[in-house]
Amino acid sequence: MKWSELFTSSVGKKWIMGLTGIFLILFLVVHVGLNACIFAMDGGVMFNKAAHFMGSNAVPRILEIGLFAGILLHMIQGWSLEMSNRAARKKGYAVAMGSKGSKWYSRSMGLLGTLLFLFLVMHISHFWVPSRITGLDPVRIEGKEYHNLYGEMLQVFQGNLAVVILYVLGCLALAWHLLHGFQSAFRTLGLTNGRYILLVESAGVLFSVLIPLAFALMPVSMYMGWIK
Amino acid sequence: MQHYTMNLTLKVWRQKNAGDNGHFETYPVKDISSEMSFLEMIDVLNEQLIKDGKEPIAFDHDCREGICGMCSMYINGRPHGPWQQNTTCQLHMRAYQDGDTIVVEPWRANAFPVIKDLMVDRSAFDRIIQAGGYISVNTGNAVDANATPIEKDKADEAFAAAACIGCGACVAACKNSSAMLFVGAKVSHLALLPQGSPERKNRALNMVTQMDKEGFGACTNTGACEAVCPKGISIENIARLNREYMMAGLTEDK
Ligand code: HEM
Ligand code: SF4
Ligand code: FES
């Protein structure tokens, strides 16, 4: 196998999808953990400090470059697979097979991924762009200046029902994407042992429900005024 | 179950040759016994067509006992019809009721072009096998059967993978027209046995390369292949193929 076949052969491409997919799953763990600081009910002090740490420390900044590269690779390979897979059957069936034997969300990874991409464009423009490029209002905590990312969250979500709904829909797309993707990634990476498959499948269902639920609770809580 | 007869409406894909556009033709079929096989029902229809001076429906079949893998028919939206772990030739008409309409289509995939009516060209599978689905042995006296010890579990797993009859239903069912279940079965069958080890790495690499060349899609692990496979080939074999391919790819300079 030439190195290039990681990006051109069918199985090589899937390895890239699986590896980047698991990398993105690990990122979600960090992301949900940090954001959960908003539930500390301290007016965003803990959250702003955590966000400051992520923005000022070299390690997360380097990982951030990896994150953008990983997402880009995952999207390019995902779309490339989706297109070549679709093209492999020029003439289709009169009677569709539908869900006889597979789940709709497993057949809709390209669509769900594209919805996630659209969500990410909105999400990055809401938070990453102001925090890294256009600038955020400062807030003083214990005599030190911090970016008020918490204030930005309140501004984005409070009173903006449409935005909150879009975020909840984004979380739903993530849930379905992961419900298939989590376990699929491990199969792609060659896991055959029945014991571990069972473990991965169960962990996958739990992860796909709990993580998007936790994410969705954030804009909803801010909109409903559950966190002050 | 009680024996009964039925009248059916058949919608069958008719296509003169590879170049023809093809279309559906509707046929009434009468007095079909519930004990007939699906192919016998088509035979009855073909007898009628011949009597009427029409061209009979071309379809692949050979053993008619579920072991050759020829009888490729996509019936009412499912390869090999509604029964689990079953081939079209072993599908019996008791699966249907009087008055049913049955739509019959050929396997659809660019890599399986239609030759005529319900017959498709599956020689792509043969070329994948030629690329690596074999072991090299010196001929001569037969080796003692117990000369190479094999663990029972491994032997059983290899045997389960070897049960693949190359029918192509997995490709027909897959939204990506992927041949990964077939190739996974063939690679696993030999990778699990000591006899397969000398060519193990090149086998995985060459068979996947040929599979891609033939124009089959990649695998999304949807599970549609496993659901329709007449031999119950497990999707685990696809994961094993992924592993075999990468282990070989990272260690072979090819
Ligand atoms: C946080 C975001 C995301 C996560 C955690 C994630 C995770 C995953 C995982 C774990 C898989 C399974 C990989 C495999 O089967 O080997 C996968 C597959 C896929 N992802 Fe994503 N993904 C994300 C975003 C996206 C985006 C933005 C796209 C846009 C193109 C996308 C497109 C796809 C496609 C098309 C597949 C299926 C590939 C195939 O098997 O044919 N994903 N994703
Ligand atoms: S894996 Fe199953 S469905 Fe696919 S060719 Fe072999 S026997 Fe047929
Ligand atoms: S005709 Fe041989 S398997 Fe059906």
Side-chain angles (χ1 to χ4, degrees):
Chain A
M1 185 185 78
K2 299 189 204 76
W3 290 117
S4 62
E5 281 173 75
L6 274 177
F7 303 94
T8 55
S9 88
S10 58
V11 179
K13 276 188 190 173
K14 276 311 305 272
W15 269 78
I16 299 284
M17 284 312 279
L19 289 172
T20 52
I22 290 177
F23 175 65
L24 293 176
I25 285 173
L26 290 174
F27 155 73
L28 287 181
V29 177
V30 177
H31 192 22
V32 82
L34 273 174
N35 282 28
C37 293
I38 65 167
F39 294 114
M41 303 291 177
D42 57 358
V45 170
M46 194 201 266
F47 175 70
N48 276 337
K49 279 185 173 175
H52 177 77
F53 169 77
M54 292 304 274
S56 57
N57 188 310
V59 176
R61 293 308 292 270
I62 293 168
L63 282 176
E64 187 180 79
I65 299 171
L67 177 64
F68 275 105
I71 265 218
L72 217 61
L73 198 55
H74 187 82
M75 292 192 327
I76 293 169
Q77 292 283 57
W79 280 323
S80 143
L81 278 167
E82 183 71 21
M83 285 191 303
S84 55
N85 288 342
R86 277 169 188 259
R89 178 174 292 137
K90 288 213 183 72
K91 180 145 188 63
Y93 293 107
V95 184
M97 195 171 151
S99 292
K100 304 184 198 91
S102 62
K103 299 275 196 292
W104 71 267
Y105 48 87
S106 76
R107 302 191 306 275
S108 313
M109 293 298 276
L111 173 70
L112 291 167
T114 305
L115 292 175
L116 281 175
F117 164 73
L118 294 176
F119 169 81
L120 282 175
V121 171
M122 172 179 74
H123 183 49
I124 287 172
S125 75
H126 276 154
F127 298 108
W128 189 86
V129 170
S131 109
R132 292 277 192 277
I133 299 172
T134 52
L136 283 169
D137 293 338
V139 59
R140 292 196 83 78
I141 303 170
E142 294 150 8
K144 223 178 125 193
E145 272 211 354
Y146 290 88
H147 276 164
N148 194 1
L149 196 58
Y150 181 78
E152 183 73 13
M153 274 181 97
L154 289 174
Q155 211 182 332
V156 167
F157 297 127
Q158 277 184 347
N160 286 330
L161 185 59
V163 172
V164 173
I165 289 176
L166 285 177
Y167 270 72
V168 171
L169 290 178
C171 293
L172 270 177
L174 179 64
W176 294 121
H177 198 73
L178 288 176
L179 204 53
H180 179 68
F182 192 104
Q183 51 86 35
S184 172
F186 287 88
R187 294 176 187 277
T188 300
L189 305 188
L191 191 73
T192 51
N193 188 311
R195 267 197 300 173
Y196 295 113
I197 292 266
L198 192 66
L199 208 64
V200 160
E201 280 182 348
S202 321
V205 174
L206 272 181
F207 191 93
S208 322
V209 173
L210 294 182
I211 300 293
L213 187 67
F215 274 126
L217 269 177
M218 294 168 190
V220 169
S221 304
M222 289 205 154
Y223 181 80
M224 302 298 282
W226 292 337
I227 36 179
K228 300 271 163 12
Chain B
M1 218 167 87
Q2 201 81 50
H3 164 258
Y4 58 97
T5 60
M6 64 195 103
N7 297 331
L8 302 162
T9 307
L10 236 64
K11 279 185 163 171
V12 183
W13 183 258
R14 301 303 309 262
Q15 183 173 334
K16 282 197 182 67
N17 51 46
D20 181 25
N21 271 335
H23 63 282
F24 279 100
E25 199 76 61
T26 306
Y27 304 102
V29 276
K30 294 215 161 37
D31 298 326
I32 295 299
S33 155
S34 58
E35 302 311 301
M36 278 180 186
S37 77
F38 198 86
L39 297 187
E40 284 167 336
M41 181 273 294
I42 303 264
D43 291 338
V44 169
L45 171 57
N46 272 346
E47 294 282 343
Q48 191 57 49
L49 289 175
I50 292 166
K51 256 188 223 151
D52 297 347
K54 292 185 185 142
E55 183 80 8
I57 300 160
F59 63 98
D60 266 329
H61 61 107
D62 187 13
C63 70
R64 296 204 178 200
E65 56 178 16
I67 56 170
C68 76
M70 289 302 284
C71 49
S72 50
M73 286 189 195
Y74 181 91
I75 304 163
N76 280 349
R78 200 176 183 282
H80 292 306
W83 287 354
Q84 300 292 314
Q85 293 198 20
N86 190 63
T87 53
T88 300
C89 59
Q90 289 296 294
L91 173 63
H92 282 71
M93 293 312 293
R94 57 180 174 273
Y96 298 95
Q97 296 298 323
D98 188 39
D100 280 356
T101 298
I102 308 174
V103 183
V104 191
E105 303 176 64
W107 285 176
R108 295 289 188 195
N110 301 354
F112 288 164
V114 173
I115 299 168
K116 186 176 180 177
D117 298 338
L118 301 173
M119 273 179 145
V120 297
D121 177 358
R122 281 170 299 165
S123 54
F125 270 13
D126 299 336
R127 290 187 291 274
I128 294 174
I129 294 289
Q130 281 159 13
Y134 53 80
I135 57 168
S136 301
V137 283
N138 295 323
T139 51
N141 285 345
V143 183
D144 183 88
N146 293 321
T148 314
I150 303 169
E151 311 166 52
K152 175 81 169 114
D153 289 350
K154 284 269 163 61
D156 287 349
E157 247 183 301
F159 188 78
C164 166
I165 53 177
C167 66
C170 42
V171 175
C174 176
K175 77 168 179 76
N176 304 339
S177 308
S178 173
M180 287 285 280
L181 194 64
F182 167 75
V183 180
K186 296 304 173 192
V187 164
S188 293
H189 151 44
L190 297 174
L192 286 162
L193 297 174
Q195 288 88 341
S197 78
E199 288 131 334
R200 182 170 177 176
K201 289 182 175 177
N202 282 336
R203 175 180 307 118
L205 293 174
N206 294 344
M207 288 179 81
V208 168
T209 303
Q210 189 63 35
M211 171 182 89
D212 289 351
K213 239 188 242 166
E214 298 292 347
F216 294 104
C219 172
T220 305
N221 294 314
T222 69
C225 53
E226 183 187 50
V228 302
C229 174
K231 297 297 146 184
I233 301 294
S234 163
I235 196 168
E236 219 175 71
N237 292 298
I238 294 182
R240 189 178 291 101
L241 171 61
N242 289 334
R243 196 169 71 212
E244 290 288 321
Y245 176 83
M246 197 46 65
M247 291 310 120
L250 293 177
T251 52
E252 286 290 283
D253 256 341
K254 250 192 94 165

